[in-house]
Amino acid sequence: MKQFHIFFFWEEIETHFGDRKAFVVEESSAAPIIDNTERAGIYGDHSQMIRFSSIQTSSYRTVIEALVRYCRNAPPIISRRWQQAGETLARARSNEAFELAGTAFDIHNNNRPFQFERKISERPRNRHFRIPQVVSSIFTGREEASQVVEEAFWGPEVEEFPHQQRRYIIHGIGGSGKTQFCSKFAQDHRERFWGVFWIDATSTETAKESFAKIGRLGEMEATQSAGKHWLSNLEDPWLLIINNADEPSFDLPSLFPEGERGHILVTTRNPNFRVHGTVGSNEFKGLKQKDALLLLLRAADTPRPWNSSVENMGIRITDALGCLALALIQAGALILQRLCGMGDYLDFYNQYRKRVAARRSSTASKEEDQFTVYATWEHSLDSLDLRHTEASTDAGQLLSIVAFFHFEHIRVDIFTRALANRTKATQNTAKPSFLARLFNGIFARIQPPPVLPEFLRPGPSELDPYRIRRALHELCSFSLISYDGKDDSFSLHPVVHSWARDRLESGEQALWAQVAVNVLAESIQLPPNDAGKTHEDYRRDILAHLDLCLQACPIQILDYEALFGGLKFPIALMLQHTWLFVFRHQAMTAAKFGYVYAERGRFHEAAGLLAKVKDALVQSRGYRNDMTMKTMLGLAGTYWGLGRLEEAVVLQKIVVDARTQTLGLDHEETLSAMDQLGRSYWLNGQYNEALELQTVTVQRAKSKLGATHEATLMAIDNLGVTYGSWQRFEESRNMHQQVLVARKKSLGPSHLDTLLAVNNLAMALNDLGDLENAKILMTDVYEQRKSKLGKEHPWTLWALCNLAKINTALKLFHEAEDMLIGGVEAAKRSLGDDHLGVLMGVGELARVYAFQGRFEEAEGLSKDLLPRLESSRGLDHPDTVYALFKMAQLYEMQNRFDEAIDACVLAEERAQTKLTERHPMTKNISSRLQRLKEHKRHNSEDQQVMTERPNPLHHRRISRETARNNTW
């Protein structure tokens, strides 16, 4: 398909066929999703696909933009293809001559013979192309700036400084066309780069998410460090556009991939960032006057030829607007809409400039140039309001909402999802009883109206899904937004975005910030209605919008106790119904946002929101309410992510007690909560509590749910892991084998849950010394996880660490070392330096070094590891105790017995808290400590004898004793 430029369009309105409506051609058929193609919907039925009501419609402008772009790009492409075709024809004729006469002739070089040589045509270099904005079809000017950047990237100085990352900084006022210039430059030089990527540097979080997308492209984990690592190791040339790095406090150098590779363009309003340009910088102001005039007339679609009168009027407008590209485009859009003419535009503009100046006291920090463009949009918005249509009203409200979103990549389905969810909420498929209808009618009357835009409020008629599209069309027609048909999203220029908020009074800002929060909340579904990658991708894409909404309108939940005292939900509803509806809405919104943050690993934000929800539900519904218990389990999960293990266990214990009292001890949900609590005990190092609770859970699950029920199998697998911690390896192996057989039958051999059972079985075999079979199984787990999840997914890296453990047991130290070094670095990129998986990998690498006699390296890693474990896991956690025990053994291997004894004493002391004396590890530590003390005593006696009479056998005996103790 790369030989063609294809733009698919589909009909968005069903065609009438008498008494029914239907799409003549469905979207999936009209616009299949194929690489290197573009897609967009046409707001019309099948017959209107090639007939447009006016040239101002967004559908017409989308089609024209594509045609103009294709026509502009076609000549060089076709010329190159003709050249390639000519070369191919010459080569074919030469081949024929060679086959017939044994001699090849160059027919384009006077038929001189040449040595036949087979050539393989080069494939196009560019493989990835992602730019901040689609290049406008009326892009004008900046040729000199483009030449300067070309010279900086590929000029003679490149040979003088070949090993240097080439960074160019473009700074200037908002609206001067910095982002469009970078997009145009990337498009013009696309074939020079293997990949073109871009970073949204509006904030630290948006930059992280942009790099995460690059990491996914490289089949690595979706993290900032993974994306930067992939770029820094690419051997092919790449271009990175870092866009909108405006905040003075922003750490711009942290966004540069390490090393000397790559070309980087940075756009910023901050002139101080120019110091980071290794090959130069350029300040963008207004366009040259001739370019500014050309842009204005093209934006207004002024018919040619342009006489002197038109040009003079245009020059006056460009001068008044400071030749700013964004203001000129906006002015041209107004003239194109026939809302004013070229001659009277400045009269309207000056009126609106006075209005903006009157509000200037509240926004004194704005630059003069910014107020220049503000006035152009005031005119556009007033013209929109004067239409007094449903679409124009919706457009104004939509603009007020997105003023509190992030300005980039606003998915249209934020609103269509909210609409669909509102529609479902107002419809009841089951026929309600008379009593239910009565209560629903009462509640509908006492419930306060939702704080939502009009196109999301249920009215007497069915909610119209096309109102949003019509509103977007209105905003597009005034160039207030730019629509991207590739992913059905739209964006605002940052200055438009600032104006959309600044134009609102403080009270209006508070209102529309709340509306924006409510729209996002309506678009989100909670489990189990949110399953699937489509929903997951959606929640990832709205994160930047959610951050900005909550900055403007933080979630607050009413104080239930202050409003209702000790009254629970049913009674409170009758007495304080309005406040209760508000309270319920606030709690639900916080729950949805907390869920999104938790899924994206933003545990601090998630914990803050979910803790508010938990407190609200406990006060209003009590601990035994199902929603309360689910929220507490979700909050426990976020506490785990934050390392607040004790708090997580407390919450899970409350849920187990509540479900036992309400559902009974043998209910599936109770048993599931018990299993989760048992695993939490194990992770928290409470092996005694874990063993006791999990044993009961497995017995009851087998009895009530059956031995092959998934909840039972999960409980058995978790108990098998706990048995391994108690060194009951044979029982552990048997349990994992049982689970594996059942899961292969029900889920298949490659299901992720099946692979978890294989992983656990392999480690049980490793503990039993069946190393060859353990390696076979763990290798299969690693390869399948790498294929399904990616080579840097945490589960894949965990399998790699386990495989390295098995290789260490097999004395394949070099193989284990290579695995662990690469795995630890990848884990740091994906999880952070202090994640448990990273720490366990470091500990295993220290063991490998010790076995190789590289004691200094092993000790350095161990000393760095121990305080991190103490901080993240706790002083008395078994993982910390185990690290201390291994440190003692490392000292012993070096005959540093005093230090070994000190480490062993501390390990034994800490083991008493959670492991207790009955655990095998505690017994092993005590036994080792006793041996070390005996060895020290014997060593002291030998030293005394040596003082009295030298013994030539002394060193041999010490050597044998040391060798005997070298069991790491």
Side-chain angles (χ1 to χ4, degrees):
M1 300 299 291
K2 291 185 178 180
Q3 290 294 314
F4 302 92
H5 289 244
I6 298 178
F7 204 131
F8 292 116
F9 296 96
W10 70 88
E11 59 207 70
E12 290 189 326
I13 298 179
E14 295 175 330
T15 300
H16 285 270
F17 296 97
D19 58 347
R20 65 183 183 89
K21 294 189 298 183
F23 292 112
V24 177
V25 183
E26 295 287 343
E27 175 186 345
S28 58
S29 177
I33 299 176
I34 301 174
D35 290 342
N36 303 304
T37 62
E38 299 176 82
R39 306 168 74 252
I42 297 294
Y43 185 71
D45 60 23
H46 189 71
S47 65
Q48 297 167 336
M49 289 286 288
I50 56 173
R51 293 203 303 263
F52 303 100
S53 57
S54 73
I55 62 174
Q56 281 79 38
T57 64
S58 62
S59 298
Y60 174 83
R61 294 177 64 159
T62 299
V63 174
I64 286 298
E65 190 278 333
L67 289 173
V68 169
R69 176 158 44 90
Y70 290 172
C71 292
R72 185 180 63 244
N73 296 339
I77 295 174
I78 299 302
S79 175
R80 186 176 60 187
R81 289 182 183 174
W82 271 114
Q83 181 181 354
Q84 292 172 344
E87 294 172 357
T88 301
L89 178 61
R91 192 176 301 112
R93 291 176 177 173
S94 177
N95 290 343
E96 293 174 4
F98 179 78
E99 292 174 359
L100 293 173
T103 306
F105 295 91
D106 187 347
I107 61 175
H108 296 290
N109 192 25
N110 298 322
N111 286 327
R112 294 175 183 173
F114 68 93
Q115 182 67 36
F116 178 77
E117 179 181 355
R118 172 175 292 185
K119 294 183 179 179
I120 301 174
S121 61
E122 294 183 1
R123 297 178 62 186
R125 169 176 286 187
N126 186 260
R127 185 172 177 182
H128 297 286
F129 187 73
R130 293 168 180 255
I131 55 177
Q133 295 177 358
V134 175
V135 179
S136 172
S137 60
I138 58 172
F139 182 92
T140 305
R142 304 295 187 192
E143 290 85 359
E144 291 182 5
S146 181
Q147 292 173 2
V148 171
V149 178
E150 287 181 42
E151 188 74 13
F153 279 176
W154 300 292
E157 290 186 3
V158 176
E159 297 181 2
E160 298 180 24
F161 305 99
H163 303 296
Q164 180 187 50
Q165 191 174 74
R166 313 198 72 76
R167 302 195 292 263
Y168 196 92
I169 313 299
I170 299 172
H171 61 94
I173 60 175
S176 56
K178 301 183 295 293
T179 301
Q180 271 287 301
F181 170 81
C182 289
S183 298
K184 182 70 163 60
F185 183 87
Q187 181 173 285
D188 290 345
H189 299 281
R190 177 173 182 166
E191 293 305 323
R192 286 182 182 237
F193 300 106
W194 179 84
V196 176
F197 312 95
W198 78 282
I199 301 299
D200 178 2
T202 311
S203 68
T204 302
E205 289 301 329
T206 57
K208 286 181 180 179
E209 185 58 36
S210 298
F211 272 117
K213 292 177 180 178
I214 295 175
R216 281 193 292 270
L217 284 177
E219 298 181 350
M220 303 176 77
E221 271 304 281
T223 63
Q224 176 173 347
S225 54
K228 289 173 61 180
H229 175 78
W230 184 63
L231 285 177
S232 64
N233 285 277
L234 284 176
E235 296 183 358
D236 294 299
W238 49 265
L239 172 66
L240 183 68
I241 301 172
I242 300 176
N243 196 42
N244 294 318
D246 299 328
E247 290 297 324
S249 60
F250 197 83
D251 184 10
L252 181 60
S254 69
L255 301 187
F256 302 146
E258 296 79 3
E260 75 282 356
R261 296 175 181 173
H263 300 74
I264 298 176
L265 284 173
V266 178
T267 72
T268 176
R269 297 187 211 176
N270 185 354
N272 295 329
F273 281 164
R274 66 182 183 274
V275 300
H276 299 297
T278 60
V279 294
S281 64
N282 194 348
E283 181 181 8
F284 272 30
K285 296 180 179 178
L287 294 168
K288 293 181 178 180
Q289 190 180 75
K290 65 174 184 177
D291 292 332
L293 176 61
L294 178 59
L295 178 60
L296 173 67
L297 297 177
R298 293 175 70 184
D301 197 23
T302 305
R304 291 175 183 267
W306 302 323
N307 57 37
S308 59
S309 174
V310 169
E311 291 186 356
N312 289 334
M313 287 187 290
I315 289 173
R316 287 198 296 272
I317 294 173
T318 59
D319 289 345
L321 298 182
C323 293
L324 286 175
L326 191 62
L328 294 169
I329 292 172
Q330 188 64 34
L334 284 166
I335 297 169
L336 179 66
Q337 292 282 335
R338 305 293 188 264
L339 299 172
C340 60
M342 193 79 72
D344 59 355
Y345 172 82
L346 286 179
D347 294 334
F348 285 98
Y349 169 76
N350 289 326
Q351 291 179 20
Y352 288 101
R353 186 170 174 79
K354 291 178 183 177
R355 179 194 297 182
V356 173
R359 292 205 303 260
R360 190 163 186 168
S361 59
S362 62
T363 53
S365 63
K366 302 299 178 186
E367 299 174 358
E368 178 68 24
D369 293 308
Q370 200 151 315
F371 281 96
T372 297
V373 291
Y374 272 24
T376 65
W377 296 315
E378 292 283 339
H379 189 182
S380 296
L381 190 62
D382 265 13
S383 301
L384 194 63
D385 290 340
L386 289 173
R387 293 184 175 183
H388 299 300
T389 63
E390 180 183 77
S392 64
T393 301
D394 290 343
Q397 294 183 1
L398 191 60
L399 186 64
S400 298
I401 293 170
V402 298
F404 298 92
F405 288 178
H406 188 269
F407 56 82
E408 286 278 359
H409 192 60
I410 304 171
R411 292 176 51 149
V412 175
D413 66 348
I414 290 176
F415 306 97
T416 57
R417 283 170 177 264
L419 184 67
N421 294 338
R422 293 287 299 170
T423 302
K424 290 178 183 176
T426 58
Q427 294 175 347
N428 189 356
T429 54
K431 186 176 180 179
S433 64
F434 170 77
L435 191 60
R437 293 198 302 272
L438 176 62
F439 275 102
N440 288 339
I442 295 173
F443 291 154
R445 286 171 174 79
I446 64 177
Q447 183 174 354
V451 185
L452 290 169
E454 290 183 13
F455 57 80
L456 290 181
R457 296 181 194 169
S461 60
E462 184 181 355
L463 292 169
D464 181 4
Y466 294 106
R467 284 184 65 170
I468 298 165
R469 299 280 179 184
R470 289 191 287 270
L472 288 172
H473 166 258
E474 293 290 304
L475 294 176
C476 277
S477 67
F478 283 92
S479 297
L480 292 171
I481 65 173
S482 57
Y483 176 75
D484 187 348
K486 293 180 180 178
D487 57 5
D488 198 24
S489 68
F490 62 96
S491 302
L492 291 80
H493 190 281
V495 185
V496 179
H497 185 258
S498 298
W499 161 77
R501 182 182 294 197
D502 290 343
R503 70 186 177 84
L504 300 171
E505 301 294 338
S506 58
E508 292 178 309
Q509 287 193 12
L511 170 65
W512 285 107
Q514 183 64 63
V515 173
V517 166
N518 292 349
V519 169
L520 275 184
E522 291 288 350
S523 72
I524 299 168
Q525 291 183 307
L526 290 172
N529 300 320
D530 65 329
K533 189 175 184 302
T534 301
H535 292 292
E536 183 181 341
D537 290 344
Y538 171 75
R539 290 190 294 273
R540 182 192 67 229
D541 286 348
I542 65 170
L543 202 59
H545 307 309
L546 181 55
D547 285 339
L548 288 181
C549 278
L550 292 184
Q551 286 179 21
C553 184
I555 296 291
Q556 299 292 336
I557 301 180
L558 294 173
D559 187 341
Y560 187 90
E561 293 289 346
L563 286 173
F564 307 110
L567 299 176
K568 295 301 179 185
F569 172 72
I571 300 175
L573 178 62
M574 291 183 284
L575 298 179
Q576 295 281 353
H577 45 76
T578 301
W579 286 118
L580 191 63
F581 280 117
V582 174
F583 171 82
R584 185 177 66 176
H585 170 75
Q586 291 172 336
M588 181 62 73
T589 299
K592 290 179 176 181
F593 292 170
Y595 169 59
V596 172
Y597 278 128
E599 182 185 53
R600 302 308 305 162
R602 302 271 295 276
F603 296 120
H604 285 286
E605 294 91 338
L609 290 167
L610 293 179
K612 291 181 180 180
V613 178
K614 185 265 294 183
D615 293 340
L617 288 173
V618 169
Q619 292 174 5
S620 62
R621 303 288 185 123
Y623 283 108
R624 299 183 184 182
N625 178 263
D626 183 59
M627 284 300 299
T628 305
M629 291 186 280
K630 288 180 178 177
T631 301
M632 292 176 74
L633 290 177
L635 180 58
T638 63
Y639 283 161
W640 275 114
L642 292 170
R644 295 160 62 176
L645 312 181
E646 301 291 346
E647 294 172 87
V649 168
V650 168
L651 288 175
Q652 289 178 320
K653 287 174 68 175
I654 294 173
V655 173
V656 168
D657 292 340
R659 285 187 172 173
T660 300
Q661 295 175 24
T662 56
L663 303 174
L665 191 58
D666 295 328
H667 193 279
E668 180 181 343
E669 292 189 12
T670 306
L671 292 171
S672 177
M674 291 168 62
D675 180 48
Q676 291 182 50
L677 177 58
R679 179 158 177 78
S680 296
Y681 279 145
W682 177 80
L683 287 169
N684 198 36
Q686 297 173 256
Y687 293 164
N688 290 286
E689 293 88 341
L691 181 63
E692 180 180 345
L693 180 59
Q694 287 176 319
T695 301
V696 173
T697 304
V698 168
Q699 291 172 350
R700 291 189 170 275
K702 283 182 175 180
S703 173
K704 299 299 180 180
L705 304 177
T708 59
H709 191 281
E710 182 52 39
T712 307
L713 294 176
M714 182 65 73
I716 294 172
D717 212 31
N718 289 336
L719 179 56
V721 173
T722 302
Y723 276 154
S725 300
W726 282 91
Q727 298 182 18
R728 295 164 62 173
F729 301 133
E730 290 188 359
E731 293 170 276
S732 175
R733 176 197 60 196
N734 295 339
M735 288 201 155
H736 295 316
Q737 283 180 333
Q738 177 185 345
V739 173
L740 179 57
V741 170
R743 283 186 173 161
K744 277 186 175 180
K745 185 176 181 180
S746 61
L747 302 176
S750 60
H751 191 278
L752 291 177
D753 289 345
T754 306
L755 294 178
L756 178 61
V758 178
N759 177 91
N760 293 338
L761 176 58
M763 295 314 294
L765 294 176
N766 179 68
D767 292 331
L768 289 168
D770 188 357
L771 302 179
E772 294 297 339
N773 285 323
K775 183 171 183 177
I776 292 171
L777 291 177
M778 190 56 71
T779 300
D780 181 55
V781 172
Y782 172 65
E783 293 297 335
Q784 290 210 51
R785 283 182 177 174
K786 184 168 65 172
S787 174
K788 288 176 173 291
L789 304 174
K791 60 185 177 182
E792 294 199 1
H793 190 278
W795 282 13
T796 307
L797 296 175
W798 197 266
L800 183 67
C801 183
N802 288 338
L803 186 56
K805 287 182 182 179
I806 297 170
N807 281 331
T808 302
L810 287 166
K811 296 184 170 50
L812 301 172
F813 300 129
H814 292 295
E815 191 174 334
E817 179 184 352
D818 291 342
M819 285 182 172
L820 288 167
I821 290 175
V824 167
E825 288 304 314
K828 286 181 179 180
R829 290 192 295 270
S830 301
L831 306 171
D833 290 355
D834 294 324
H835 190 275
L836 175 61
V838 174
L839 300 181
M840 293 298 99
V842 171
E844 188 62 29
L845 184 58
R847 290 185 67 227
V848 172
Y849 287 155
F851 276 124
Q852 293 175 304
R854 296 158 64 179
F855 299 127
E856 186 176 344
E857 293 170 270
E859 186 174 339
L861 288 178
S862 299
K863 285 185 175 180
D864 178 66
L865 171 67
L866 188 57
R868 295 190 179 198
L869 282 171
E870 290 174 337
S871 174
S872 63
R873 307 292 278 165
L875 296 176
D876 55 358
H877 193 281
D879 291 340
T880 310
V881 174
Y882 182 76
L884 266 174
F885 186 38
K886 290 302 172 186
M887 179 74 81
Q889 291 177 291
L890 180 60
Y891 288 141
E892 182 184 0
M893 295 172 76
Q894 302 175 72
N895 294 330
R896 295 159 61 180
F897 296 109
D898 288 338
E899 292 166 283
I901 290 172
D902 290 343
C904 232
V905 167
L906 186 57
E908 184 183 46
E909 178 184 320
R910 292 182 177 180
Q912 301 299 322
T913 306
K914 287 186 176 180
L915 290 173
T916 71
E917 293 182 355
R918 62 187 284 239
H919 194 276
M921 188 191 299
T922 308
K923 295 176 182 178
N924 290 341
I925 295 171
S926 299
S927 175
R928 176 72 64 166
L929 179 59
Q930 186 63 31
R931 287 172 54 189
L932 286 170
K933 288 179 177 178
E934 289 178 4
H935 188 88
K936 181 180 179 182
R937 180 170 55 81
H938 289 313
N939 193 45
S940 299
E941 292 175 355
D942 287 344
Q943 289 292 339
Q944 185 176 357
V945 170
M946 287 291 293
T947 303
E948 297 173 358
R949 185 183 61 186
N951 184 352
L953 298 177
H954 169 73
H955 292 290
R956 289 177 60 193
R957 187 170 68 181
I958 291 295
S959 178
R960 288 196 299 270
E961 185 69 20
T962 302
R964 185 170 62 83
N965 288 330
N966 281 351
T967 53
W968 178 270

